Amino acid sequence: MTKKAWEDYLTEEDRATLARGKWGQQIKPGTRPAIVAIDVQNYMVGPKEGGDEAYPYSCGQIGWDAVKASGEIIAAARRAGAPVIFTRFALDPSGNDGGLFAQKVGKGEGEYAFVEGTFGSEFVAEVAPQPGDIAFTKKKMSAFFGTPLQAYLTDLGVDTIIVLGGSTSNCVRATVVDAAQSNYKVLVPREAVFDRLPLSHAVSLFDMDRSCANVMSKDEVIGYLGQLPDARDR
């Protein structure tokens, strides 16, 4: 069994606390899942051949590894007839719609940041919306905040959300928490989410698995999608 990303950070006292409170129990996924792919954009991964210096927000090779895993999961979702929803984070060139995020992180500058109309703001070509998918732009971390996502999920009759993309500690985590608070069953395939900092990635996966999602392997998620009833019968 692959060691969980957070294992090395836990003390014996931590493990006892988790056992005493029965944290991290696994939920049973439903039968009507949707993919929610968070901000798989050029500014998030940088150039495929490396050289991330021009991309100030790039996750580099870690991001590209997650793109590959995401592509496999999205393909399995399409085979199963599950909806695929993409979010994109992009701010106006003025940065006036950035709010507190722009104050903490910056407004984004240049062709390789998250500014609307730039290469950086576009979806990564290897994992991009196809005809029939849903895509929208968001301005905050959570894919639910100020967007039509909830309305789409309600209309589609979704009961389970598979969250992909990045970054694990920011937009993925915020979306997962909001989904759980709306009582969706949430699955997070660990190979298909990514972050700039390994510590942030590991701790965020731990917190999500502890209280609001199943953190699973890519193969487990693909296996779940493969055993779903035919979409026409749901």
Side-chain angles (χ1 to χ4, degrees):
M1 179 182 293
T2 303
K3 185 167 69 170
K4 295 174 181 176
W6 56 84
E7 287 291 332
D8 290 341
Y9 297 98
L10 297 177
T11 66
E12 289 306 314
E13 184 178 355
D14 293 334
R15 296 176 200 279
T17 297
L18 295 169
R20 183 172 66 249
K22 296 184 173 64
W23 294 95
Q25 298 184 52
Q26 296 297 285
I27 56 176
K28 182 180 179 181
T31 59
R32 298 181 65 92
I35 299 289
V36 177
I38 304 293
D39 304 354
V40 187
Q41 296 166 252
N42 293 320
Y43 87 88
M44 289 286 290
V45 296
K48 204 167 189 178
E49 64 276 8
D52 302 332
E53 291 78 9
Y55 289 75
Y57 306 101
S58 166
C59 298
Q61 188 57 48
I62 291 172
W64 281 108
D65 291 344
V67 166
K68 182 177 184 298
S70 295
E72 295 177 37
I73 294 170
I74 290 171
R78 290 189 173 120
R79 289 193 298 270
V84 182
I85 301 171
F86 290 84
T87 75
R88 191 176 70 96
F89 178 71
L91 298 182
D92 185 84
S94 69
N96 290 339
D97 53 359
L100 184 62
F101 178 85
Q103 296 177 46
K104 291 291 293 183
V105 179
K107 297 178 180 180
E109 297 180 359
E111 184 66 13
Y112 304 117
F114 41 75
V115 178
E116 190 67 77
T118 65
F119 176 75
S121 71
E122 296 174 3
F123 290 111
V124 172
E126 286 83 348
V127 183
Q130 295 185 6
D133 295 340
I134 295 171
F136 59 84
T137 300
K138 63 185 180 64
K139 301 292 183 177
K140 301 296 183 182
M141 291 185 185
S142 173
F144 286 91
F145 193 93
T147 77
L149 178 58
Q150 180 69 73
Y152 290 138
L153 296 173
T154 298
D155 182 55
L156 294 165
V158 169
D159 60 16
T160 301
I161 299 176
I162 301 168
V163 182
L164 316 173
S167 68
T168 316
S169 59
N170 291 334
C171 297
V172 167
R173 181 171 176 164
T175 299
V176 167
V177 169
D178 277 356
Q181 290 179 146
S182 295
N183 288 327
Y184 290 104
K185 298 172 181 181
V186 188
L187 312 181
V188 180
R190 58 177 178 266
E191 298 97 333
V193 294
F194 57 98
D195 206 300
R196 301 167 186 87
L197 304 175
L199 173 62
S200 296
H201 176 74
V203 172
S204 295
L205 287 179
F206 166 70
D207 280 337
M208 289 186 286
D209 190 71
R210 180 173 59 91
S211 61
C212 56
N214 286 357
V215 174
M216 305 166 65
S217 72
K218 173 195 70 175
D219 291 341
E220 287 174 320
V221 172
I222 291 174
Y224 156 69
L225 289 166
Q227 56 79 46
L228 289 171
D230 190 294
R232 292 167 297 185
D233 299 329
R234 283 185 246 147

